[in-house]
Amino acid sequence: MTFFLILLIVVLLGVTFWQLSNFLAITFGNSDNSQVANNADNQKQGKFMLYFVLFLYALMAFCFIEYYSYFLPAASSEHGVDYDRLMQISVVLIMFVQILTQGFLHFFAYKYKGKKDQKATYYADNNTLEMIWTIIPVITLAGLILYGLYTWTTIMNIDEDDEDALIVELYAYQFGWRARYAGNDNELGKANVRFIEGVNTLGVDKSDNYAMDDIITSELHLPVNKRVIFKMRSQDVLHSAYMPFFRAQMNVVPGMITEFSYIPTQTTEEIRLSDFMVEKVETINNIRRDKSKLLLAKGEEALEPYEFDYYLLCNKICGASHFNMQMKIVVESESDFKNWISEQKTFKQVVSN
Amino acid sequence: MSAEHHHHKETFITKYIFSEDHKMIAKQYLITGLLMGIIGIAMSLLFRLQIAWPEQSFAIFEVLLGKWAPEGVMDPNVYLALVTIHGTIMVFFVLTAGLSGTFSNLLIPLQIGARDMASGFLNMVSYWLFFLSSIIMVLSLFVEAGPAAAGWTIYPPLSALPQAMPGSGLGMTLWLVSMAIFIASSLIGSLNYVVTVLNLRTEGMSMSRLPLTIWTFFVTAIIGVISFPVLLSAALLLIMDRSFGTSFFLSDIFIQGEVLHNQGGSPVLFEHLFWFLGHPEVYIVLLPALGITSEVIATNARKPIFGYRAMVISIIAIAFLSTIVWGHHMFVSGMNPFLGSVFTFTTLLIAIPSAVKSFNYITTLWKGNLQFNPAMLFSIGLVSTFITGGLTGIILGDSTLDINVHDTYFVVAHFHLVMGISALYGLFAGVYHWFPKMFGRMLNKNLGYVHFWITAIGAYGVFFPMHFVGMAGLPRRYYTYTNFPYFDDLADTNVLITLFALLTASAQLVFLYNFFHSMFYGKVASKNPWKSNTLEWTTPVEHVHGNWPGELPKVYRWAYDYSKTDNDGNYIIEGQDFTPQTFPMKDNEEILHH
Ligand code: HEM
Ligand SMILES: [Cu+2]
Ligand SMILES: [Cu+2]
C-alpha cells in the first residue's frame, strides 16, 4: 500500500516537472532546445543576479533588525567586556567586507551579462592588484590576531595561587551538574570516580582531611566581583560547561581536570532589572501566555511565567538528555553568598548521616 | 598505443558493473553519491521538523522511524542518530566520494590527455569499497538499538561505551567498519589520482598548463593521503578500546553504577587525531568544488581565470595550512591554552589564500561576456556562500571569540555555508557542466534555473538566520530547547529556518527529475556545447575505451585562452572566442608566462 502511494507520488511529481519544463520553455521564450544559454537567458539571469544581491542585503538587514535582541546582553563577567568589544569589531568588519564583496560579485555578474556582440577582455594577470588584496587581509588579520591573542592569554592564564579566589569544582555526569565548594580551607579534597559509593556520589576521598569541609550543591552560587576558579571533572563522558552570560566555556573531560576562571560582575538581581532583560522577559512571557491559552484549551496545564536566572548548560553531546543538562547559577552579594553557603551541608555531615 | 587495443568484448557486467573505465566509474560514484544525498537530506528535514515544532507529533516520524517515534514523537536518541548520520553521509559519502570521486575520475584522464587512470583495476576496487561502505552505513540504520549517534565527530567515551547511549553499540561498530572501508577506498583512489597526474599527462601538458580542476584534484588527493590514515588509526584505536579493553581514550569512568577499569587514556588525544583529518577534510570537500568553479567561471565568462599562478599558489598554501589548523576545533577542549594561540594564528593565516581566491573569481567576471548556463549560476553561488561562510570563520578561528559560540548553531551556520552549501554548489556546477560529457545528453536549462534560484534563496534562508540563533547561545545537537524558557523567542525563527529547508529540499526534486529524465530523453549533446578549451571536449560524444579513437591530443597552450586576440586584434581562431589547448601557438600571438 505504502509502496503504491509512494509510486503514485513519484509519477505525479514526474508529470508535474515535465509540464513545468514545457511551461518554462514557453514563458522564457527559449524553446530553441539547444539547452545552452542564449541571449535572452543571459539578459534574464543577469538581472536575477542583481535582484538576488538585493534579496541578500534585505535578508541581512532583516536578520540584524529583527533578531537584534537575540544577541546576548552585555557580559556579566570582567573579561566579557573585552570579549564583547572584540566581537563587535569583528562583526562590523565582517559585515563590511560581506556587503562589499557580495555587491561586487553580483553586480559584475549583472553588468557583464552576455550580449550578442560583446567581447570579453583578455585579462589574465595583474601583480599589483593581487599584491594589494593579499596585503590588505594580512594587515587586518594581523590586527585581529594580536587583539585576540592578547585577550585569550588574559582569560586563560589562571593564577592558581590567588588567595582571594573562590575555588569551585564543577562536576558533570549524565545528565546533571554538581558544584563542590572548597569550604573554609579553600582547598578541595581529593576525589576520583573510584570512590563513588552510596551518598558519596562525587567520589570524594573520605581519607583526605581537606575534603571534610567541602560543600556539594546542585545550584551554583557565586559572590559578585570575586574571582572564581572552576575545576571541572566528569564522571562518565565528555560534557561542556557553557555559561553564555559570562562568556565562559570549557569542556569537562573524564580522566583530567580542566579549568576556567572569571569574575562575575553583575548579580542576578541587577541583570533582571536591566533594560535588556526586562524587555526580553516580557517578550518571552507574552509568548508563554499565548501558548498557555492553547494548552488550557486542550485541558492541559498552563506554563509558569518566566523569571530570568543565569544558567549553565551542557554543550558537548553526551547522550539522550544532553538537551536538558543544566544548572541554575545565582550571582549575589558577598554577604548573601555567605548566608547561603553556611546553610549547606558539609561533606562530613553528608557522609556521617 | 591506439584505442584499438582496448577493444575487448564487453558484457553487461564488465561495461556497467565491474567496469575499469574511468568514465563509467565516475558515473557510478555520482549516482551512488546522489542516492546517499537523498538519504542525508531527508534526515535533515526530519530533525529540522523536530526542532521547529518540538512539542508536536508527526505521523511521518512514525511511518519512517517506526518504533523510534511512538505516536509520532521522536525519541531523543533518534534525533542524535539522525544528526550524526546526516553529517557523516553529507561530508564523506556525498561531498568526498560523490563530488571528488566523480569528477577526479571523470576529468583527470580526460583533461590531461590520458587513456585512463594509471590503474583501472585499483580504480574499480576503490569504487566498490566505497559502495560497500555505503551499504554498511545504510544497513546500520536498521540495527535494533539504532545507528551511531555520538555526532559525526564520534568523540569517546560517548562513542566507546554502549552504556552511554544505545547508538554506541552495534550501530557504532558498523559506523567504524564502514568508515574504515571508506578510508581504504579513498586512499586507493587518491594514490591513483596522484600517480596519474604525475605520469600520464599528454605531450605538452606541463604542470603550468594544467587546468585548475586538475590542480585541485591533485592537491586534494595528496591531502587525503596524508590525513585519512590518521583517522583510520583513530578508528582502530577506538575499536580496540571498545572491544579489547584497551584505554587509549578512556580513563576514570563511572557509568551505570559501575567503575570501568580503564585508566590513563585521554579523549583529547582522540580529538587531536580526529581533527587532524577532520579539518583537512573540509578542504578535501571544498578544493575540488573550487576547481570546478574555476573551470566553469572561466569558460562561461569567456575570459581567462584571473591570476592563474596565484590560484595555484593559493591551492597549495591552503593544502599546507589545512594540516596545521586542526586545533581550532579544540580551543575549549582542555588542551594547553598556548596551543590555542598557535592555532588561532595558523587559522587566520588560511584566510589569506582563501581571500585571494575569492577576489580572483570576482575579477574574472569583470569585463567578461557572461554566459549564464546553470553551471555558471551555481559557480557564482558558490563564490557567494564561500565568502559568507568564510567570513564567519574569522570569528570562530579566533580562540577568544570561539569560547562563547563554540558548538552553538553559529558553528552549524558557518560550516554549512562554507563547506556544505559551497561544495554542494560545486557538485551541481560540475554535473550541469559535464553532464553532456558523461551521458551524451544535455540537462534541461530551464529546470536548472529553477533549481538554482530556489536553492540559492532557500540556502541563505536556512543558514543566515541560523547565525543569530547561535549568537543567542543555543547549543547544537539539542533535541529540544523548550527546557530553557530563555530560548522561547527563538521559536519563530526555527520555524522559518525549517520552512526554508523544506523549500530547498523540494528544489532538489526538480534536479533529480531533470537528471534522470535527461539521462534518457535529454537533447543529444554536441561535441563541445560550452565552447570550451579543455581536452575532454575533443573526445567523441559516444564514449570509447581509451577516450580518443586515434592519437592522443597534443597540447600547445594553457586552458584559459578565451577571447584571446593576436597582435592584429583578431581572435586567435577566426570567428570563435576560444582557443582549444590543442591549437598551436601562432607567430603573431603574445606568449604569457604563468
Ligand atoms: C537541506 C540542506 C541541509 C540542512 C537543512 C541541514 C541542517 C543541519 C542542521 C540543522 C544541523 C545541526 C544539527 C545539530 O547540530 O543539532 C546539521 C548538522 C550537520 N550537517 Fe547539515 N544540513 C543540510 C545539508 C548539509 C550538507 C550539504 C552538508 C555537507 C557538509 C551537511 C553537513 C552537516 C554536518 C557535518 C553536520 C554536523 C553533524 C553533527 O553534529 O554531528 N549538511 N545539518
Ligand atoms: Cu551534554
Ligand atoms: Cu577546521
Side-chain angles (χ1 to χ4, degrees), chain A residues 33 35 37 41-42 45 70 83 102 112 114 118 122 124 130 148 152 194 235 242 249 251 288 314-316, chain B residues 254 263 307 310 332 337 368 370 372-373 384 388 400-401 403-404 406-407 445 453 478 488-489 493 523 561:
Chain A
N33 197 28
Q35 304 307 340
D41 294 321
N42 291 336
Q45 301 302 321
Y70 287 3
Y83 179 99
Q102 298 289 352
Y112 300 107
Q118 176 172 298
Y122 188 82
E130 287 172 73
W152 173 251
R194 284 162 217 275
Q235 173 174 301
Y242 180 33
Q249 172 160 219
N251 286 2
R288 291 172 80 77
C314 179
N315 198 15
K316 188 58 76 190
Chain B
F254 177 95
Q263 186 80 59
V332 294
L370 311 184
F372 287 116
N373 290 300
S384 174
T388 312
T400 308
L401 295 179
I403 292 174
N404 222 46
H406 177 77
D407 261 356
K445 68 178 169 185
W453 288 112
Y478 265 28
D488 275 358
D489 64 341
T493 314
K523 181 187 176 324
D561 275 344

Side-chain angles (χ1 to χ4, degrees), chain A residues 71-86:
Chain A
F71 285 100
L72 290 165
S76 295
S77 64
E78 198 178 83
H79 74 268
V81 178
D82 275 327
Y83 179 99
D84 287 356
R85 193 176 308 124
L86 183 56

Side-chain angles (χ1 to χ4, degrees), chain B residues 66-218:
Chain B
K67 67 176 193 300
W68 293 324
E71 295 179 31
V73 178
M74 190 187 283
D75 180 274
N77 278 308
V78 173
Y79 177 85
L80 296 178
L82 287 173
V83 172
T84 302
I85 304 296
H86 160 77
T88 308
I89 285 184
M90 296 312 280
V91 171
F92 293 111
F93 292 78
V94 180
L95 295 180
T96 303
L99 170 60
S100 167
T102 302
F103 292 104
S104 298
N105 267 304
L106 179 73
L107 295 178
I108 288 178
L110 284 175
Q111 288 197 335
I112 67 173
R115 299 245 178 246
D116 205 318
M117 284 287 178
S119 166
F121 176 72
L122 284 182
N123 212 20
M124 177 187 81
V125 172
S126 163
Y127 170 73
W128 283 103
L129 287 177
F130 163 57
F131 184 78
L132 182 62
S133 75
S134 307
I135 295 288
I136 295 175
M137 191 58 78
V138 171
L139 279 184
S140 82
L141 301 176
F142 299 95
V143 168
E144 178 69 28
W152 80 285
T153 51
I154 58 154
Y155 285 176
L158 186 60
S159 61
L161 307 173
Q163 307 94 302
M165 72 185 333
S168 291
L170 183 57
M172 180 56 69
T173 305
L174 290 178
W175 192 99
L176 288 166
V177 170
S178 165
M179 282 310 297
I181 297 173
F182 182 93
I183 293 169
S185 151
S186 164
L187 285 177
I188 295 174
S190 298
L191 287 172
N192 220 343
Y193 307 152
V194 173
V195 173
T196 308
V197 173
L198 286 180
N199 294 320
L200 297 185
R201 279 169 290 129
T202 187
E203 194 181 334
M205 183 62 88
S206 60
M207 290 302 268
S208 61
R209 282 180 184 162
L210 279 184
L212 286 171
T213 32
I214 304 302
W215 266 110
T216 56
F217 299 151
F218 176 63

Side-chain angles (χ1 to χ4, degrees), chain A residues 299-314:
Chain A
E300 289 171 42
E301 256 179 83
L303 298 171
E304 287 185 12
Y306 172 59
E307 184 173 42
F308 177 78
D309 265 308
Y310 290 122
Y311 50 80
L312 175 161
L313 19 71
C314 179

Side-chain angles (χ1 to χ4, degrees), chain B residues 279 282 328-329:
Chain B
H279 191 85
V282 173
H328 62 214
H329 299 270

Side-chain angles (χ1 to χ4, degrees), chain A residues 118-325:
Chain A
Q118 176 172 298
K119 278 189 181 176
T121 308
Y122 188 82
Y123 185 58
D125 254 314
N126 183 328
N127 287 339
T128 330
L129 260 183
E130 287 172 73
M131 215 37 150
I132 292 174
W133 59 54
T134 313
I135 298 289
I136 291 179
V138 168
I139 294 173
T140 336
L141 288 172
L144 282 181
I145 290 177
L146 288 178
Y147 191 7
L149 289 188
Y150 166 74
T151 32
W152 173 251
T153 337
T154 340
I155 296 170
M156 300 308 282
N157 272 351
I158 300 171
D159 180 8
E160 302 278 352
D161 304 324
D162 188 345
E163 295 283 320
D164 292 335
L166 176 73
I167 311 261
V168 183
E169 176 180 87
L170 280 178
Y171 183 81
Y173 59 93
Q174 284 182 327
F175 298 95
W177 298 92
R178 289 288 179 269
R180 178 159 64 110
Y181 292 84
N184 291 331
D185 56 10
N186 204 20
E187 185 89 27
L188 285 165
K190 288 202 192 81
N192 187 292
V193 291
R194 284 162 217 275
F195 297 125
I196 294 177
E197 194 182 17
V199 287
N200 184 6
T201 50
L202 267 56
V204 177
D205 183 354
K206 286 185 209 169
S207 64
D208 184 359
N209 277 336
Y210 288 118
M212 285 305 147
D213 64 345
D214 287 3
I215 293 163
I216 297 164
T217 65
S218 54
E219 270 184 14
L220 178 62
H221 283 236
L222 300 173
V224 70
N225 293 330
K226 183 171 166 127
R227 177 166 291 283
V228 49
I229 299 178
F230 294 107
K231 311 251 173 190
M232 306 180 187
R233 198 156 61 87
S234 167
Q235 173 174 301
D236 35 43
V237 300
L238 287 172
H239 302 274
S240 187
Y242 180 33
M243 299 173 257
F245 297 95
F246 305 94
R247 314 294 186 261
Q249 172 160 219
M250 183 50 67
N251 286 2
V252 191
V253 184
M256 73 188 269
I257 289 172
T258 54
E259 294 186 315
F260 202 92
S261 168
Y262 61 78
I263 301 176
T265 52
Q266 224 184 158
T267 62
T268 301
E269 283 306 317
E270 281 164 356
I271 195 168
R272 279 181 185 164
L273 294 175
S274 68
D275 291 343
F276 175 94
M277 205 49 82
V278 169
E279 202 175 314
K280 183 89 175 179
V281 169
E282 194 181 298
T283 317
I284 290 173
N285 274 329
N286 284 337
I287 295 172
R288 291 172 80 77
R289 215 167 300 129
D290 291 345
K291 242 198 242 168
S292 294
K293 276 187 205 141
L294 291 178
L295 287 175
L296 287 172
K298 274 197 283 180
E300 289 171 42
E301 256 179 83
L303 298 171
E304 287 185 12
Y306 172 59
E307 184 173 42
F308 177 78
D309 265 308
Y310 290 122
Y311 50 80
L312 175 161
L313 19 71
C314 179
N315 198 15
K316 188 58 76 190
I317 181 172
C318 61
S321 294
H322 170 54
F323 65 91
N324 191 22
M325 185 172 154

